[in-house]
Amino acid sequence: MPSRAERNALIESNLPLVGYLAAETHARATHIPRDELAAVGALALVTAAEAFDADLGVPFGAYARRRILGAFADEMRSMDWASRGIRKRIKETVAVRETLTSALGRTATAAEVATAMGVAKEVVVEALGDAARTVTTIEDPSARDVTADVPLPEESALVGERREVLEQAVLALPERMRRIVQAVYFEERPVKEIAEELGVTHSAVSQQRSEAIRLLRDALDRYFAEGSAPVTTTRVSAGARDAYFSRIADAASARIADVFRDPAPA
């Protein structure tokens, strides 16, 4: 296990990688906010630095990239709206359209696809609409060269604060959310196992994890807000959110505590 200083150095030098991969993933999956991906990626980077073993001979950048993309994939799956039946319908409809398009030498119309499938045109239109917003698979970017040895100047100036705020924000989460975040991102346990341990459904764990990420994002936005009030992403009540911010203030350093005790920017 790396020392704290070594861990911090790994996080600081590779933080730009989180922003790069978040931007790349958001470009393919625009239904997921880029800031939410960045929050998930930052957690993954911290856990990667905690678990990294240099003796294995794998560069940390490559190791962290794999962990970050894995965290993105988990987040995308948890937000996926499509059932197996919907996916099957999408796949069949797209396959028929592609076959007709190839044969006709032009893009097949919805009416032509519907005729070929023996279904109503409205069914095809809906399936093609669903296809346009289906979660995109994250491609392996290992072939791309990403320079992450030297952090960007603006990242260097804020990385220490971000890490400290993030650590305090995780610790201040409601108990069940904190247990889920620590189990998923720090212990790398499968969601199914966590659900069985907590006595809840797989979906309930995923929902709690997503809400925890939104709370973390709101905490980071609150701390780094400049002038106007940041947009709230969490779905908990205003009272529960304020109580969360108070817990951060109670445990954090004076510099951080002052931000979370002060009224939010107007």
Side-chain angles (χ1 to χ4, degrees):
M1 296 289 292
S3 66
R4 184 174 183 84
E6 291 170 335
R7 186 203 70 162
N8 291 349
L10 289 173
I11 294 171
E12 292 174 10
S13 63
N14 286 275
L15 191 59
L17 183 60
V18 174
Y20 175 85
L21 294 178
E24 287 286 296
T25 303
H26 177 67
R28 303 190 197 101
T30 55
H31 64 291
I32 303 180
R34 179 173 173 177
D35 288 349
E36 190 159 325
L37 288 170
V40 170
L43 271 175
L45 178 61
V46 171
T47 58
E50 291 277 6
F52 181 60
D53 184 355
D55 293 338
L56 295 178
V58 178
F60 178 74
Y63 174 71
R65 183 183 297 116
R66 192 177 309 117
R67 295 282 292 265
I68 293 167
L69 290 175
F72 288 170
D74 287 343
E75 183 68 12
M76 292 169 72
R77 279 192 291 269
S78 73
M79 297 181 68
D80 196 0
W81 51 270
S83 66
R84 187 171 300 177
I86 291 175
R87 287 194 173 282
K88 180 180 179 182
R89 186 189 65 193
I90 291 171
K91 184 177 180 180
E92 292 173 347
T93 304
V94 171
V96 171
R97 184 181 63 173
E98 290 177 348
T99 299
L100 289 176
T101 296
S102 178
L104 296 171
R106 59 172 174 78
T107 302
T109 65
E112 290 168 338
V113 175
T115 299
M117 296 181 69
V119 300
K121 177 182 175 181
E122 291 74 17
V123 173
V124 171
V125 171
E126 182 180 0
L128 293 177
D130 288 341
R133 67 187 183 100
T134 299
V135 172
T136 305
T137 301
I138 300 179
E139 298 175 355
D140 181 8
S142 58
R144 299 191 184 100
D145 293 326
V146 181
T147 301
D149 293 333
V150 180
L152 299 175
E154 59 271 25
E155 296 289 359
S156 295
L158 297 175
V159 64
E161 285 182 285
R162 285 176 178 167
R163 184 176 63 250
E164 185 178 356
V165 174
L166 183 60
E167 289 175 347
Q168 294 299 332
V170 169
L171 293 174
L173 286 170
E175 182 181 0
R176 176 162 289 190
M177 286 187 186
R178 177 173 52 77
R179 288 176 62 186
I180 290 173
V181 166
Q182 290 175 334
V184 171
Y185 294 104
F186 290 81
E187 301 168 13
E188 296 187 295
R189 295 170 56 194
V191 172
K192 180 179 179 180
E193 179 183 307
I194 300 169
E196 292 175 350
E197 178 181 297
L198 296 177
V200 297
T201 64
H202 184 290
S203 175
V205 172
S206 295
Q207 290 172 3
Q208 287 278 294
R209 181 174 60 83
S210 295
E211 188 58 48
I213 292 298
R214 284 189 284 269
L215 277 171
L216 294 174
R217 177 183 172 189
D218 282 354
L220 291 171
D221 287 348
R222 169 69 175 265
Y223 185 80
F224 292 104
E226 296 181 358
S228 60
V231 176
T232 298
T233 63
T234 184
R235 297 172 185 172
V236 302
S237 67
R241 186 182 67 251
D242 290 343
Y244 170 60
F245 289 159
S246 293
R247 289 195 298 273
I248 296 176
D250 290 342
S253 64
R255 173 171 46 81
I256 295 175
D258 287 343
V259 174
F260 287 98
R261 287 198 178 99
D262 290 340

